[in-house]
Amino acid sequence: MLDKINQLVEEIKGLAAQSAEEAEQLRIKYLSKKGLVSQLFDEFKTIPNEQKREVGKVLNVLKTQALDKINELKDGFAASANSEVGTDLTLPGTSSELGSRHPLSIVKNEIVEIFARLGFNVAEGPEIEDDYHVFTALNFPPEHPARDMQDTFFIATNPDVLLRTHTSSVQVRVMEKTQPPIRAIFPGRVFRNEAISARAHCIFHQVEGLYIDENVSFADLKQTLLYFAKEMFGPETKIRLRPSYFPFTEPSAEMDISCSLCGGKGCNVCKYTGWVEILGCGMVDPEVLKASNIDSEKYTGFAFGMGIERITMLKYQIKDIRLFFENDKRFLDQFKSAQI
Ligand code: PHE
């Protein structure tokens, strides 16, 4: 039986076919149920047990060789069949899909561009901060509720290492290093220990603005913010300043814009008031200038801070803040045409 097998091995090595049909004939001759190789497997069952080990090995080698050879012959014809047809140059190409910027990046870039036109440059500060830069230097009294564990994420057990709760800490970092005139904005991430809902998240983004020079007045602040609102939400936009309180500005205000959706007539975005709040602002408190070694007799300044999520939600009518952090492609794909 071994002789027969070896003979077939040699035979198969030399096989050739002129066409796909011939290759198929060969497959039938050797590998079909009644083919030569299969016949040997039948014969194998009849040989004495002590020979089975040796013969079985060679028989299996024969089978794989036959399979490989016939597949090789068939593949050859399949490939040449394709090349006969040639490449169809009229087929549409495979396009590589363009990514899109995240809506928050689009709006941040737009804010940066608008303020760049007014001469503001960009600075950044660390997200992991200390109590001094987030609170103390900004005139927060020691017992102020914003220092409470409820708002601030502390790192490990050290109460002096924390995640910044606002970008106002960058005001301090910049004032420490630079003497006026200072005219800059600071975009970045901030962190607050808040329950996540459609309107609030524990991580969000702010853009802070700071302008310090001789004779900077509240009128300058108002004019700067009006320019920003019109550039961002359209030339019809009106602004309204309401008195407010921040430890680091005096006087302080919150700014509303006329609702960009209903144009001030009243809708559910502005809760039928015609106005939506978009930022906090005020004149830099002289105590804050002093803490950073800036002459508060000579210089005055204004500061403002706005949430990028809030502005983006208003601009693109997004109803749920959590969408920004879910990376759902169906959401993100909608901003492909809005890149800057
Ligand atoms: N830091 C304030 C906030 O997070 C916003 C603000 C910035 C207010 C600058 C006044 C001046 O709410």
Side-chain angles (χ1 to χ4, degrees), residues 166 168 171 192 206 208 246 248-249 280-282 303-305:
H166 54 183
S168 301
Q171 285 189 38
R192 287 185 197 176
Q206 288 187 328
E208 189 89 6
F246 300 103
F248 39 95
T249 47
C281 61
F304 56 85

Side-chain angles (χ1 to χ4, degrees), residues 134 138 140 165-169 171 190 192 204 206-210 221 244-254 277 279-284 302-307:
V134 178
L138 288 166
F140 278 80
T165 55
H166 54 183
T167 42
S168 301
S169 54
Q171 285 189 38
V190 299
R192 287 185 197 176
F204 58 101
Q206 288 187 328
V207 176
E208 189 89 6
L210 180 67
L221 170 62
S244 185
Y245 173 78
F246 300 103
F248 39 95
T249 47
E250 182 60 35
S252 304
E254 269 163 337
E277 185 203 318
L279 56 81
C281 61
M283 300 305 292
V284 180
F302 66 69
F304 56 85
M306 63 186 96

Side-chain angles (χ1 to χ4, degrees), residues 101-152:
R101 269 192 221 290
H102 194 279
L104 294 176
S105 301
I106 295 172
V107 170
K108 182 200 76 181
N109 291 344
E110 203 171 334
I111 297 172
V112 167
E113 277 201 359
I114 293 171
F115 283 104
R117 280 177 236 143
L118 294 174
F120 284 75
N121 44 31
V122 177
E124 279 179 9
E127 293 177 348
I128 301 175
E129 266 291 5
D130 48 35
D131 179 280
Y132 178 79
H133 290 89
V134 178
F135 299 128
T136 307
L138 288 166
N139 202 30
F140 278 80
E143 72 287 357
H144 196 282
R147 292 174 178 227
D148 198 296
M149 286 287 275
Q150 283 192 349
D151 295 317
T152 310

Side-chain angles (χ1 to χ4, degrees), residues 19-314:
S19 65
E21 292 78 54
E22 267 185 50
E24 175 60 11
Q25 288 306 321
L26 290 174
R27 188 192 66 77
I28 294 170
K29 178 172 174 196
Y30 292 96
L31 293 168
S32 65
K33 271 207 176 128
K34 294 200 173 120
L36 294 176
V37 177
S38 315
Q39 283 174 22
L40 284 177
F41 273 91
D42 289 340
E43 197 178 329
F44 176 74
K45 289 176 194 149
T46 65
I47 62 172
N49 273 347
E50 57 276 17
Q51 289 178 24
K52 279 204 162 136
R53 211 182 135 86
E54 195 193 350
V55 178
K57 242 190 195 168
V58 205
L59 195 54
N60 274 324
V61 173
L62 167 71
K63 189 181 171 187
T64 6
Q65 276 184 350
L67 267 174
D68 288 351
K69 181 73 191 184
I70 286 170
N71 281 338
E72 185 189 311
L73 292 174
K74 287 195 157 185
D75 285 352
F77 291 114
S80 61
N82 276 345
S83 62
E84 256 167 51
V85 176
T87 311
D88 182 354
L89 295 175
T90 64
L91 279 176
T94 34
S95 57
S96 46
E97 210 183 327
L98 272 189
S100 57
R101 269 192 221 290
H102 194 279
L104 294 176
S105 301
I106 295 172
V107 170
K108 182 200 76 181
N109 291 344
E110 203 171 334
I111 297 172
V112 167
E113 277 201 359
I114 293 171
F115 283 104
R117 280 177 236 143
L118 294 174
F120 284 75
N121 44 31
V122 177
E124 279 179 9
E127 293 177 348
I128 301 175
E129 266 291 5
D130 48 35
D131 179 280
Y132 178 79
H133 290 89
V134 178
F135 299 128
T136 307
L138 288 166
N139 202 30
F140 278 80
E143 72 287 357
H144 196 282
R147 292 174 178 227
D148 198 296
M149 286 287 275
Q150 283 192 349
D151 295 317
T152 310
F153 283 116
F154 292 92
I155 294 187
T157 48
N158 185 346
D160 197 34
V161 187
L162 45 93
L163 298 177
R164 64 182 180 196
T165 55
H166 54 183
T167 42
S168 301
S169 54
V170 191
Q171 285 189 38
V172 182
R173 298 244 165 224
V174 168
M175 286 189 287
E176 279 171 349
K177 292 195 307 249
T178 338
Q179 279 298 311
I182 297 170
R183 191 160 27 168
I185 56 170
F186 323 125
R189 271 201 303 192
V190 299
F191 308 84
R192 287 185 197 176
N193 194 356
E194 274 183 43
I196 296 172
S197 70
R199 318 202 89 237
H201 212 286
C202 57
I203 302 177
F204 58 101
H205 299 75
Q206 288 187 328
V207 176
E208 189 89 6
L210 180 67
Y211 181 21
I212 302 174
D213 203 346
E214 289 177 45
N215 300 318
V216 175
S217 71
F218 201 90
D220 296 323
L221 170 62
K222 226 173 130 178
Q223 196 55 39
T224 305
L225 294 178
L226 177 62
Y227 175 78
F228 166 72
K230 284 178 185 275
E231 289 293 296
M232 192 72 190
F233 293 100
E236 305 302 316
T237 312
K238 296 187 188 66
I239 64 167
R240 166 173 99 167
L241 290 163
R242 284 177 291 104
S244 185
Y245 173 78
F246 300 103
F248 39 95
T249 47
E250 182 60 35
S252 304
E254 269 163 337
M255 186 176 97
D256 301 339
I257 56 164
S258 52
C259 181
S260 53
L261 270 187
C262 61
K265 286 191 199 74
C267 67
N268 59 4
V269 170
C270 61
K271 302 205 190 81
Y272 300 93
T273 63
W275 298 94
V276 274
E277 185 203 318
I278 62 159
L279 56 81
C281 61
M283 300 305 292
V284 180
D285 193 303
E287 291 303 316
V288 173
L289 297 176
K290 278 184 218 157
S292 298
N293 286 323
I294 289 177
D295 185 348
S296 64
E297 300 288 324
K298 186 169 174 204
Y299 294 110
T300 52
F302 66 69
F304 56 85
M306 63 186 96
I308 304 182
E309 278 79 358
R310 197 170 167 73
I311 307 242
T312 311
M313 287 169 86
L314 277 175

